[in-house]
């Protein structure tokens, strides 16, 4: 189940003229019976909700976010939690002195109606308060800065152990924009404002509570699968193809195989994908047999070479929607890994059943975890998606696991042979893959299901790779073969620059004859090309080298320094 919760606005959405139609209440009951959570998100105060809704209806909601995100109410416990500070009493006094009426004062919110917005803004300015004004179809709501329906929903989801990616939200008015954009899927009822409809992922055909009823019916029928083709807000960009068009992957429904020769960059490609997940706040868990992902910046590592990972620790981490996990299996013997893998996968899939997380499970060195002779357990018998499998040897992976793959990303040498080995195991025809060796960053993608023609794209470079690159070449220590040597025309010098910072220091100190000797030979751009591997820096250095002899030694030094510092020295 993808959507575990419904977050619905009240006035103008679930309710019409303050009342919820009986069919909509019955639909909420059916949704609750399906195991999903229901969260009411309203600009009203709780005193209004107690007056408008009978206790049985209130109990249909797992949480109520009231006062436009400033108050959280737990109906089961009948407990209120303010999510912000109320403005000082002087603020309300000043508003009344200015003749603002009607004026409603909640636990946190202060609300009135147009045309009193200017008096409200003048009072906030006069008292120097950090408050914001939110409009909703003529209502003027004053709240602490940063408080809205989205922040209130996030607080409710934290208590329920859910992620915004597990939620479909529905609303109708200006103050619902933040709510709908925070949810994985944002829905507008038919009577919603045009601006809300324009930004929604789907618009119901019916209005008010009947529209919510329509949404619930679709949720129960197919978990909103009919909407998926048009839901691209959360797509994961992987790179650009030959004509510069973006290649992106929808965050649900795919099983990806990353395959290629050893050292071709599978970990780099996987790290880039993990960064995309982190940026979109999708939770992932990576099973790491060789300790290749211990340095990920956005995940906690469980296990090491001396201590096998404990299942309880993994599950405890993943219980928090914002926490990613690396399960280091280096401390597990090779022959024991398939059994440990089966146990871990059973637990992860059970967690998914309850929470829809982790959204993605990454299986590094899949041939270690699910070898060809492995008898599949839960993974082989379940309808599982959201997997990334990484291996040099697709023909060494259990066929039951490979059958679930619908996208293959192949890199490195002889991609045609790599895909061919995959197809041979499954007894399928090999698609037309060009018999070439791919350069670093180049990928051939093949959608096996639904079947498409293979295509080439250049993968984005992971930010962590860029940062490691910058640290290594700017201030690290390159070996002798990677260092730059200032020798001069007669080899009188032997000054070693083992990083870019030392290169700049030595460049300032060598004589003009030595500097110009290397400049004329193109040695600087050559080093940048062969060792530093920065195409932008290479191009800039080549332009400077071409300007010699018109460009004096000092000016060419300064120009090279400027280009290096622009890309490398700032982060040091």
């Amino acid at each position: 189940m993808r959507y575990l919760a419904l977050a619905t606005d009240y006035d103008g959405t679930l309710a019409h003229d303050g009342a919820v139609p009986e069919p909509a209440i019955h639909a909420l009951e059916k949704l609750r019976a399906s195991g999903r959570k229901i969260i009411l998100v309203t600009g009203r105060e709780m005193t209004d909700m107690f007056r408008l809704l009978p206790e049985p209806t209130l109990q249909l909601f797992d949480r109520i976010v009231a006062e436009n995100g400033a108050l959280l109410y737990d109906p089961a416990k009948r407990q209120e939690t303010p999510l912000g500070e109320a403005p000082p009493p002087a603020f309300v006094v000043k508003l009344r002195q200015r003749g603002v009426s009607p004026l409603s004062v909640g636990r946190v919110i202060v609300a009135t109606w147009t045309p009193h917005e200017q008096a409200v803004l003048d009072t906030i300015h006069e008292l120097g308060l950090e408050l914001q004004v939110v409009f909703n179809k003529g209502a003027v709501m004053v709240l602490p800065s940063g408080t809205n329906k989205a922040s209130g929903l996030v607080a409710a989801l934290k208590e329920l152990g859910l992620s915004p990616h597990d939620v479909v939200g529905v609303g109708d008015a200006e103050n619902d924009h933040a709510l709908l954009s925070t949810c994985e899927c944002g829905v507008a009822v038919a009577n919603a404002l045009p601006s809300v409809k324009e930004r929604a992922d789907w618009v119901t055909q019916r209005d008010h509570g009947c529209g919510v009823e329509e949404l619930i019916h679709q949720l129960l029928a197919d978990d909103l699968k009919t909407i998926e083709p048009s839901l691209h807000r959360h797509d994961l960009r992987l790179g650009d193809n030959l004509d510069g068009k973006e290649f992106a992957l929808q965050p649900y429904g795919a099983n990806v195989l990353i395959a290629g020769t050893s050292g071709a960059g599978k970990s780099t490609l996987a790290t880039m994908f993990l960064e995309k997940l982190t940026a979109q706040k999708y939770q992932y868990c990576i099973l790491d047999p060789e300790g290749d992902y211990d340095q990920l910046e956005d995940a906690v590592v469980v296990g090491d070479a001396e201590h096998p990972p404990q299942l309880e620790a993994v599950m405890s981490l993943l219980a928090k929607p914002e926490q990613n996990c690396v399960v280091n299996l280096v401390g597990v013997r090779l022959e024991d890994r398939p059994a440990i893998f089966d146990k871990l996968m059973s637990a992860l899939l059970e967690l998914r059943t309850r929470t829809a997380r982790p959204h993605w499970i990454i299986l590094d060195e899949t041939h270690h975890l699910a070898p060809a002779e492995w008898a599949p357990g839960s993974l082989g018998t379940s309808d599982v998606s959201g997997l990334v499998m990484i291996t040099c040897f697709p023909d060494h992976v259990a066929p039951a696991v490979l059958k679930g793959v619908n996208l293959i990303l192949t890199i490195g040498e002889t991609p045609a042979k790599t895909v061919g080995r995959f197809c041979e195991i499954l007894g399928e025809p090999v698609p037309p893959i060009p018999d070439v060796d791919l350069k670093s960053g180049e990928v051939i993608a093949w959608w096996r299901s639904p079947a498409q023609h293979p295509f080439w794209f250049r993968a984005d470079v992971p930010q962590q790779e860029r940062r490691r690159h910058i640290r290594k070449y700017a201030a690290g220590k390159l070996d002798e073969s990677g260092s730059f040597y200032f020798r001069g025309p007669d080899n009188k010098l032997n000054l070693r620059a083992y990083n870019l910072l030392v290169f700049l220091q030595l460049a300032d100190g060598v004589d003009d004859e030595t500097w110009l000797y290397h400049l004329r030979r193109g040695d600087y751009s050559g080093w940048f090309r062969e060792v530093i591997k920065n195409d932008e820096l290479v191009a800039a250095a080549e332009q400077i080298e071409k300007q010699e002899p018109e460009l004096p030694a000092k000016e060419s030094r300064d120009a090279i320094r400027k280009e290096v510092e622009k890309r490398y020295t700032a982060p040091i």
Side-chain angles (χ1 to χ4, degrees):
M1 199 157 53
R2 176 174 182 176
Y3 296 102
L4 297 182
L6 169 70
T8 176
D9 170 48
Y10 188 74
D11 288 290
T13 303
L14 183 63
H16 193 184
D17 293 332
V20 182
E22 202 64 32
I25 293 176
H26 292 324
L28 292 174
E29 292 170 344
K30 290 179 182 178
L31 188 67
R32 189 78 186 271
S34 73
R36 292 176 171 89
K37 306 293 185 183
I38 308 173
I39 304 166
L40 182 64
V41 187
T42 177
R44 286 186 180 262
E45 299 168 28
M46 281 309 302
T47 51
D48 289 334
M49 303 316 301
F50 294 143
R51 175 176 54 83
L52 290 168
L53 295 177
E55 186 64 22
T57 304
L58 282 172
Q59 292 298 322
L60 287 175
F61 301 105
D62 294 274
R63 293 293 187 278
I64 296 176
V65 177
E67 299 193 11
N68 211 68
L71 184 72
L72 184 59
Y73 179 73
D74 183 344
K77 297 180 180 179
R78 300 183 181 183
Q79 178 178 308
E80 291 184 359
T81 304
L83 301 176
E85 290 187 9
F91 176 68
V92 177
V93 171
K94 284 280 186 183
L95 290 178
R96 286 181 172 142
Q97 289 174 349
R98 290 177 183 267
V100 175
S101 178
L103 185 65
S104 175
V105 181
R107 292 284 299 272
V108 178
I109 196 172
V110 174
T112 184
W113 294 86
T114 56
H116 295 298
E117 62 269 22
Q118 192 57 53
V120 169
L121 290 169
D122 290 344
T123 305
I124 291 172
H125 179 73
E126 180 182 331
L127 296 178
L129 301 176
E130 190 176 351
L131 297 172
Q132 65 178 352
V133 177
V134 178
F135 296 94
N136 179 36
K137 290 184 177 179
V140 179
M141 297 177 284
V142 183
L143 293 157
S145 180
T147 300
N148 55 30
K149 286 189 174 183
S151 64
L153 174 65
V154 169
L157 294 175
K158 185 174 183 179
E159 288 193 358
L160 296 171
L162 296 177
S163 160
H165 290 299
D166 307 333
V167 184
V168 55
V170 58
D172 75 303
E174 305 102 312
N175 64 332
D176 293 319
H177 280 300
L179 169 67
L180 302 190
S181 64
T182 298
C183 296
E184 181 74 6
C185 181
V187 177
V189 285
N191 58 288
L193 296 178
S195 62
V196 178
K197 289 181 180 180
E198 182 180 344
R199 294 177 60 181
D201 300 306
W202 185 52
V203 179
T204 64
Q205 294 182 1
R206 302 166 71 189
D207 59 65
H208 297 92
C210 294
V212 177
E213 182 187 356
E214 179 185 340
L215 170 60
I216 291 173
H217 174 77
Q218 202 63 52
L219 261 173
L220 295 175
D222 66 1
D223 206 27
L224 299 188
K225 284 185 172 59
T226 52
I227 299 174
E228 277 186 21
S230 62
L231 184 58
H232 293 288
R233 268 193 300 135
H234 312 287
D235 283 4
L236 305 163
R237 175 193 155 87
L238 300 185
D240 292 308
N241 61 22
L242 278 172
D243 61 6
K245 185 178 179 181
E246 178 183 86
F247 172 49
L249 180 67
Q250 284 194 298
Y252 280 87
N255 285 329
V256 183
L257 173 67
I258 299 176
T261 49
S262 180
K266 294 184 296 299
S267 295
T268 299
L269 186 59
T271 298
M272 179 270 288
F273 181 71
L274 296 174
E275 287 183 354
K276 305 291 184 177
L277 294 178
T278 299
Q280 294 272 28
K281 297 184 179 179
Y282 287 105
Q283 187 185 58
Y284 66 79
C285 176
I286 178 166
L287 308 189
D288 180 12
E290 296 190 347
D292 291 338
Y293 298 88
D294 278 7
Q295 302 304 314
L296 284 177
E297 297 173 1
D298 303 299
V300 174
V301 180
V302 178
D304 56 34
E306 304 297 327
H307 306 91
Q310 297 300 308
L311 181 60
E312 295 78 9
V314 174
M315 293 299 110
S316 177
L317 280 170
L318 295 175
K320 303 171 184 176
E322 71 281 1
Q323 185 63 67
N324 302 312
C325 182
V326 175
V327 184
N328 186 319
L329 297 168
V330 174
V332 178
R333 294 186 305 172
L334 188 64
E335 60 269 27
D336 294 335
R337 288 175 182 175
I340 295 294
F341 166 62
D342 201 29
K343 185 177 180 181
L344 282 166
M345 281 301 302
S346 294
L348 291 173
L349 295 178
E350 191 277 329
L351 179 64
R352 266 193 182 179
T353 300
R354 292 186 287 108
T355 68
R357 304 187 321 273
H359 300 109
W360 284 85
I361 301 170
I362 293 83
L363 313 178
D364 193 37
E365 306 293 347
T366 311
H367 54 282
H368 286 179
L369 304 173
E373 66 278 6
W374 176 65
S378 55
L379 182 59
T381 58
S382 299
D383 182 17
V384 181
S385 64
L387 298 178
V388 175
M389 293 160 264
I390 307 167
T391 182
C392 297
F393 312 105
D395 49 333
H396 293 181
V397 177
V401 175
L402 294 180
K403 283 180 181 178
V405 171
N406 49 13
L407 173 64
I408 297 178
L409 305 179
T410 181
I411 60 178
E413 300 172 2
T414 61
K417 290 183 180 179
T418 299
V419 176
R421 287 195 291 267
F422 170 89
C423 293
E424 183 180 356
I425 290 295
L426 297 181
E428 298 178 354
V430 182
I433 303 286
D435 189 16
V436 296
D437 292 345
L438 297 173
K439 297 177 182 178
S440 176
E442 295 180 344
V443 184
I444 290 180
W446 173 43
W447 279 106
R448 173 172 170 260
S449 174
Q452 295 181 21
H453 195 81
F455 60 93
W456 177 100
F457 75 93
R458 177 168 292 282
D460 289 345
V461 178
Q463 293 297 318
Q464 294 180 59
E465 190 72 18
R466 287 194 180 100
R467 288 190 285 270
R468 284 194 293 268
H469 179 99
I470 289 171
R471 289 192 294 267
K472 175 181 178 181
Y473 294 113
K477 191 164 186 177
L478 301 172
D479 60 23
E480 292 185 9
S481 63
S483 299
F484 185 88
Y485 290 87
F486 287 99
R487 302 189 191 276
D490 300 316
N491 285 326
K492 293 180 181 179
L493 301 176
N494 189 33
L495 303 176
R496 177 188 173 193
Y498 52 79
N499 61 37
L500 285 164
L501 186 59
V502 174
F503 171 81
L504 294 179
Q505 292 170 347
L506 293 176
D508 284 342
V510 299
D511 59 274
D512 288 354
E513 184 182 17
T514 297
W515 172 261
L516 291 173
Y517 168 76
H518 291 290
L519 185 77
R520 291 167 187 149
R521 286 163 45 96
D523 290 344
Y524 304 133
S525 62
W527 186 53
F528 298 154
R529 180 185 302 104
E530 299 301 323
V531 176
I532 307 302
K533 300 184 187 301
N534 187 315
D535 293 341
E536 289 183 0
L537 183 58
V538 171
E542 287 177 336
Q543 288 299 315
I544 295 167
E545 290 165 347
K546 288 176 182 177
Q547 296 176 51
E548 204 283 326
E550 291 81 6
L551 199 62
K554 182 181 184 309
E555 291 185 24
S556 62
R557 270 195 185 93
D558 291 345
I560 291 286
R561 168 179 285 278
K562 179 181 178 181
E563 297 298 334
V564 171
E565 287 181 339
K566 184 191 303 182
R567 296 167 176 84
Y568 287 92
T569 58
I572 295 177

mmCIF file of all heavy atoms in Angstrom, residues 8-19 44 136-137 170-173 176 188-193 206-212:
data_model
loop_
_atom_site.group_PDB
_atom_site.id
_atom_site.type_symbol
_atom_site.label_atom_id
_atom_site.label_comp_id
_atom_site.label_asym_id
_atom_site.label_seq_id
_atom_site.Cartn_x
_atom_site.Cartn_y
_atom_site.Cartn_z
ATOM 1 N N THR A 8 -7.171 15.749 5.130
ATOM 2 C CA THR A 8 -8.238 16.506 4.483
ATOM 3 C C THR A 8 -8.529 17.817 5.187
ATOM 4 O O THR A 8 -8.590 17.889 6.429
ATOM 5 C CB THR A 8 -9.534 15.680 4.385
ATOM 6 O OG1 THR A 8 -10.578 16.485 3.831
ATOM 7 C CG2 THR A 8 -9.968 15.147 5.740
ATOM 8 N N ASP A 9 -8.706 18.856 4.394
ATOM 9 C CA ASP A 9 -9.206 20.141 4.885
ATOM 10 C C ASP A 9 -10.672 19.959 5.303
ATOM 11 O O ASP A 9 -11.338 18.995 4.908
ATOM 12 C CB ASP A 9 -9.066 21.165 3.765
ATOM 13 C CG ASP A 9 -9.774 22.472 4.079
ATOM 14 O OD1 ASP A 9 -9.582 22.998 5.183
ATOM 15 O OD2 ASP A 9 -10.539 22.943 3.210
ATOM 16 N N TYR A 10 -11.192 20.905 6.079
ATOM 17 C CA TYR A 10 -12.581 20.800 6.546
ATOM 18 C C TYR A 10 -13.504 21.690 5.709
ATOM 19 O O TYR A 10 -14.161 21.219 4.793
ATOM 20 C CB TYR A 10 -12.681 21.161 8.029
ATOM 21 C CG TYR A 10 -14.051 20.876 8.605
ATOM 22 C CD1 TYR A 10 -14.444 19.569 8.852
ATOM 23 C CD2 TYR A 10 -14.941 21.910 8.885
ATOM 24 C CE1 TYR A 10 -15.711 19.293 9.357
ATOM 25 C CE2 TYR A 10 -16.204 21.648 9.407
ATOM 26 C CZ TYR A 10 -16.582 20.334 9.639
ATOM 27 O OH TYR A 10 -17.835 20.060 10.135
ATOM 28 N N ASP A 11 -13.517 22.979 5.991
ATOM 29 C CA ASP A 11 -14.467 23.881 5.318
ATOM 30 C C ASP A 11 -14.176 23.971 3.830
ATOM 31 O O ASP A 11 -13.056 24.251 3.410
ATOM 32 C CB ASP A 11 -14.378 25.285 5.941
ATOM 33 C CG ASP A 11 -14.975 25.313 7.333
ATOM 34 O OD1 ASP A 11 -16.199 25.188 7.455
ATOM 35 O OD2 ASP A 11 -14.180 25.434 8.297
ATOM 36 N N GLY A 12 -15.206 23.746 3.020
ATOM 37 C CA GLY A 12 -15.068 23.830 1.578
ATOM 38 C C GLY A 12 -14.525 22.561 0.949
ATOM 39 O O GLY A 12 -14.508 22.431 -0.274
ATOM 40 N N THR A 13 -14.103 21.621 1.770
ATOM 41 C CA THR A 13 -13.560 20.363 1.249
ATOM 42 C C THR A 13 -14.397 19.205 1.781
ATOM 43 O O THR A 13 -15.312 18.728 1.118
ATOM 44 C CB THR A 13 -12.079 20.197 1.629
ATOM 45 O OG1 THR A 13 -11.337 21.326 1.143
ATOM 46 C CG2 THR A 13 -11.492 18.936 1.021
ATOM 47 N N LEU A 14 -14.137 18.786 2.997
ATOM 48 C CA LEU A 14 -14.934 17.711 3.584
ATOM 49 C C LEU A 14 -16.339 18.224 3.920
ATOM 50 O O LEU A 14 -17.337 17.510 3.760
ATOM 51 C CB LEU A 14 -14.236 17.175 4.831
ATOM 52 C CG LEU A 14 -14.890 15.998 5.540
ATOM 53 C CD1 LEU A 14 -14.936 14.770 4.632
ATOM 54 C CD2 LEU A 14 -14.132 15.668 6.832
ATOM 55 N N ALA A 15 -16.413 19.466 4.377
ATOM 56 C CA ALA A 15 -17.688 20.041 4.835
ATOM 57 C C ALA A 15 -18.201 21.102 3.873
ATOM 58 O O ALA A 15 -17.421 21.772 3.183
ATOM 59 C CB ALA A 15 -17.510 20.648 6.219
ATOM 60 N N HIS A 16 -19.516 21.237 3.839
ATOM 61 C CA HIS A 16 -20.181 22.277 3.057
ATOM 62 C C HIS A 16 -21.076 23.046 4.026
ATOM 63 O O HIS A 16 -21.950 22.457 4.661
ATOM 64 C CB HIS A 16 -21.009 21.653 1.926
ATOM 65 C CG HIS A 16 -21.465 22.650 0.919
ATOM 66 N ND1 HIS A 16 -22.278 22.319 -0.129
ATOM 67 C CD2 HIS A 16 -21.214 23.982 0.784
ATOM 68 C CE1 HIS A 16 -22.508 23.387 -0.863
ATOM 69 N NE2 HIS A 16 -21.874 24.413 -0.326
ATOM 70 N N ASP A 17 -20.811 24.354 4.127
ATOM 71 C CA ASP A 17 -21.541 25.175 5.094
ATOM 72 C C ASP A 17 -21.406 24.610 6.509
ATOM 73 O O ASP A 17 -22.359 24.595 7.295
ATOM 74 C CB ASP A 17 -23.027 25.270 4.705
ATOM 75 C CG ASP A 17 -23.251 26.036 3.414
ATOM 76 O OD1 ASP A 17 -22.418 26.914 3.100
ATOM 77 O OD2 ASP A 17 -24.239 25.749 2.713
ATOM 78 N N GLY A 18 -20.219 24.113 6.814
ATOM 79 C CA GLY A 18 -19.913 23.644 8.164
ATOM 80 C C GLY A 18 -20.332 22.224 8.474
ATOM 81 O O GLY A 18 -20.001 21.696 9.537
ATOM 82 N N ALA A 19 -21.076 21.551 7.566
ATOM 83 C CA ALA A 19 -21.592 20.205 7.840
ATOM 84 C C ALA A 19 -20.971 19.192 6.874
ATOM 85 O O ALA A 19 -20.764 19.482 5.700
ATOM 86 C CB ALA A 19 -23.107 20.180 7.718
ATOM 87 N N ARG A 44 -9.913 26.072 11.564
ATOM 88 C CA ARG A 44 -10.796 26.328 12.709
ATOM 89 C C ARG A 44 -10.107 26.004 14.031
ATOM 90 O O ARG A 44 -9.143 25.232 14.091
ATOM 91 C CB ARG A 44 -12.062 25.495 12.585
ATOM 92 C CG ARG A 44 -13.056 25.987 11.530
ATOM 93 C CD ARG A 44 -14.305 25.161 11.611
ATOM 94 N NE ARG A 44 -15.333 25.534 10.646
ATOM 95 C CZ ARG A 44 -16.375 26.309 10.909
ATOM 96 N NH1 ARG A 44 -16.510 26.853 12.108
ATOM 97 N NH2 ARG A 44 -17.284 26.546 9.973
ATOM 98 N N ASN A 136 -7.646 33.091 3.760
ATOM 99 C CA ASN A 136 -8.419 31.923 3.345
ATOM 100 C C ASN A 136 -9.852 32.345 3.055
ATOM 101 O O ASN A 136 -10.673 32.441 3.959
ATOM 102 C CB ASN A 136 -8.393 30.845 4.440
ATOM 103 C CG ASN A 136 -9.205 29.619 4.061
ATOM 104 O OD1 ASN A 136 -9.236 29.230 2.904
ATOM 105 N ND2 ASN A 136 -9.900 29.030 5.027
ATOM 106 N N LYS A 137 -10.122 32.633 1.772
ATOM 107 C CA LYS A 137 -11.475 32.999 1.338
ATOM 108 C C LYS A 137 -12.108 34.076 2.221
ATOM 109 O O LYS A 137 -13.216 33.927 2.722
ATOM 110 C CB LYS A 137 -12.377 31.769 1.323
ATOM 111 C CG LYS A 137 -12.039 30.761 0.226
ATOM 112 C CD LYS A 137 -13.023 29.609 0.211
ATOM 113 C CE LYS A 137 -12.756 28.642 -0.916
ATOM 114 N NZ LYS A 137 -13.697 27.502 -0.909
ATOM 115 N N VAL A 170 -6.038 16.641 0.502
ATOM 116 C CA VAL A 170 -7.111 17.201 -0.311
ATOM 117 C C VAL A 170 -7.567 18.525 0.303
ATOM 118 O O VAL A 170 -7.692 18.654 1.518
ATOM 119 C CB VAL A 170 -8.293 16.209 -0.457
ATOM 120 C CG1 VAL A 170 -8.860 15.797 0.891
ATOM 121 C CG2 VAL A 170 -9.378 16.775 -1.363
ATOM 122 N N GLY A 171 -7.781 19.528 -0.573
ATOM 123 C CA GLY A 171 -8.196 20.840 -0.083
ATOM 124 C C GLY A 171 -8.856 21.653 -1.168
ATOM 125 O O GLY A 171 -9.098 21.171 -2.285
ATOM 126 N N ASP A 172 -9.125 22.942 -0.840
ATOM 127 C CA ASP A 172 -9.882 23.769 -1.784
ATOM 128 C C ASP A 172 -9.442 25.218 -1.842
ATOM 129 O O ASP A 172 -9.790 25.931 -2.787
ATOM 130 C CB ASP A 172 -11.369 23.750 -1.419
ATOM 131 C CG ASP A 172 -11.668 24.608 -0.191
ATOM 132 O OD1 ASP A 172 -11.066 24.354 0.887
ATOM 133 O OD2 ASP A 172 -12.478 25.543 -0.317
ATOM 134 N N ALA A 173 -8.678 25.719 -0.845
ATOM 135 C CA ALA A 173 -8.471 27.164 -0.753
ATOM 136 C C ALA A 173 -7.004 27.542 -0.621
ATOM 137 O O ALA A 173 -6.113 26.691 -0.602
ATOM 138 C CB ALA A 173 -9.274 27.717 0.429
ATOM 139 N N ASP A 176 -4.507 25.940 1.673
ATOM 140 C CA ASP A 176 -4.244 24.514 1.456
ATOM 141 C C ASP A 176 -3.055 24.262 0.526
ATOM 142 O O ASP A 176 -2.658 23.106 0.327
ATOM 143 C CB ASP A 176 -5.486 23.824 0.879
ATOM 144 C CG ASP A 176 -6.642 23.791 1.862
ATOM 145 O OD1 ASP A 176 -6.382 23.549 3.056
ATOM 146 O OD2 ASP A 176 -7.792 24.018 1.442
ATOM 147 N N ALA A 188 -7.357 18.414 -5.380
ATOM 148 C CA ALA A 188 -8.296 19.527 -5.203
ATOM 149 C C ALA A 188 -9.701 19.029 -5.491
ATOM 150 O O ALA A 188 -9.917 18.293 -6.466
ATOM 151 C CB ALA A 188 -7.946 20.678 -6.130
ATOM 152 N N VAL A 189 -10.661 19.415 -4.655
ATOM 153 C CA VAL A 189 -12.063 19.087 -4.948
ATOM 154 C C VAL A 189 -12.553 20.008 -6.066
ATOM 155 O O VAL A 189 -11.965 21.058 -6.337
ATOM 156 C CB VAL A 189 -12.940 19.228 -3.686
ATOM 157 C CG1 VAL A 189 -12.702 18.066 -2.728
ATOM 158 C CG2 VAL A 189 -12.694 20.562 -2.982
ATOM 159 N N ALA A 190 -13.646 19.620 -6.700
ATOM 160 C CA ALA A 190 -14.122 20.324 -7.895
ATOM 161 C C ALA A 190 -14.446 21.793 -7.636
ATOM 162 O O ALA A 190 -14.360 22.629 -8.549
ATOM 163 C CB ALA A 190 -15.341 19.611 -8.464
ATOM 164 N N ASN A 191 -14.810 22.135 -6.401
ATOM 165 C CA ASN A 191 -15.162 23.516 -6.083
ATOM 166 C C ASN A 191 -13.962 24.341 -5.621
ATOM 167 O O ASN A 191 -14.130 25.488 -5.187
ATOM 168 C CB ASN A 191 -16.221 23.544 -4.976
ATOM 169 C CG ASN A 191 -15.765 22.836 -3.710
ATOM 170 O OD1 ASN A 191 -15.687 21.609 -3.686
ATOM 171 N ND2 ASN A 191 -15.441 23.586 -2.672
ATOM 172 N N ALA A 192 -12.762 23.791 -5.726
ATOM 173 C CA ALA A 192 -11.563 24.496 -5.253
ATOM 174 C C ALA A 192 -11.289 25.744 -6.085
ATOM 175 O O ALA A 192 -11.745 25.871 -7.230
ATOM 176 C CB ALA A 192 -10.358 23.563 -5.299
ATOM 177 N N LEU A 193 -10.526 26.666 -5.529
ATOM 178 C CA LEU A 193 -10.110 27.859 -6.259
ATOM 179 C C LEU A 193 -9.282 27.452 -7.475
ATOM 180 O O LEU A 193 -8.568 26.439 -7.435
ATOM 181 C CB LEU A 193 -9.277 28.764 -5.352
ATOM 182 C CG LEU A 193 -9.984 29.354 -4.128
ATOM 183 C CD1 LEU A 193 -9.008 30.178 -3.306
ATOM 184 C CD2 LEU A 193 -11.174 30.202 -4.546
ATOM 185 N N ARG A 206 -16.332 15.732 -8.448
ATOM 186 C CA ARG A 206 -17.416 16.184 -7.580
ATOM 187 C C ARG A 206 -16.873 17.177 -6.561
ATOM 188 O O ARG A 206 -15.661 17.296 -6.351
ATOM 189 C CB ARG A 206 -18.064 14.982 -6.894
ATOM 190 C CG ARG A 206 -18.603 13.961 -7.903
ATOM 191 C CD ARG A 206 -18.923 12.633 -7.262
ATOM 192 N NE ARG A 206 -20.106 12.717 -6.410
ATOM 193 C CZ ARG A 206 -20.501 11.744 -5.591
ATOM 194 N NH1 ARG A 206 -19.790 10.614 -5.501
ATOM 195 N NH2 ARG A 206 -21.598 11.892 -4.861
ATOM 196 N N ASP A 207 -17.789 17.923 -5.945
ATOM 197 C CA ASP A 207 -17.356 18.985 -5.039
ATOM 198 C C ASP A 207 -17.529 18.602 -3.576
ATOM 199 O O ASP A 207 -18.202 17.633 -3.238
ATOM 200 C CB ASP A 207 -18.116 20.279 -5.341
ATOM 201 C CG ASP A 207 -19.626 20.102 -5.202
ATOM 202 O OD1 ASP A 207 -20.093 19.847 -4.079
ATOM 203 O OD2 ASP A 207 -20.336 20.205 -6.230
ATOM 204 N N HIS A 208 -16.867 19.397 -2.723
ATOM 205 C CA HIS A 208 -16.971 19.279 -1.266
ATOM 206 C C HIS A 208 -16.818 17.829 -0.788
ATOM 207 O O HIS A 208 -15.935 17.113 -1.281
ATOM 208 C CB HIS A 208 -18.305 19.891 -0.795
ATOM 209 C CG HIS A 208 -18.414 21.347 -1.076
ATOM 210 N ND1 HIS A 208 -18.978 21.841 -2.243
ATOM 211 C CD2 HIS A 208 -18.022 22.425 -0.356
ATOM 212 C CE1 HIS A 208 -18.940 23.170 -2.244
ATOM 213 N NE2 HIS A 208 -18.358 23.556 -1.097
ATOM 214 N N GLY A 209 -17.680 17.405 0.155
ATOM 215 C CA GLY A 209 -17.568 16.061 0.729
ATOM 216 C C GLY A 209 -17.743 14.961 -0.294
ATOM 217 O O GLY A 209 -17.163 13.869 -0.154
ATOM 218 N N CYS A 210 -18.525 15.226 -1.341
ATOM 219 C CA CYS A 210 -18.680 14.221 -2.408
ATOM 220 C C CYS A 210 -17.365 14.016 -3.145
ATOM 221 O O CYS A 210 -17.056 12.909 -3.605
ATOM 222 C CB CYS A 210 -19.768 14.655 -3.386
ATOM 223 S SG CYS A 210 -21.426 14.710 -2.658
ATOM 224 N N GLY A 211 -16.570 15.084 -3.264
ATOM 225 C CA GLY A 211 -15.254 14.961 -3.885
ATOM 226 C C GLY A 211 -14.312 14.146 -3.023
ATOM 227 O O GLY A 211 -13.517 13.337 -3.535
ATOM 228 N N VAL A 212 -14.379 14.350 -1.711
ATOM 229 C CA VAL A 212 -13.557 13.546 -0.792
ATOM 230 C C VAL A 212 -13.993 12.088 -0.859
ATOM 231 O O VAL A 212 -13.157 11.165 -0.855
ATOM 232 C CB VAL A 212 -13.661 14.091 0.644
ATOM 233 C CG1 VAL A 212 -12.869 13.208 1.611
ATOM 234 C CG2 VAL A 212 -13.167 15.533 0.715
#
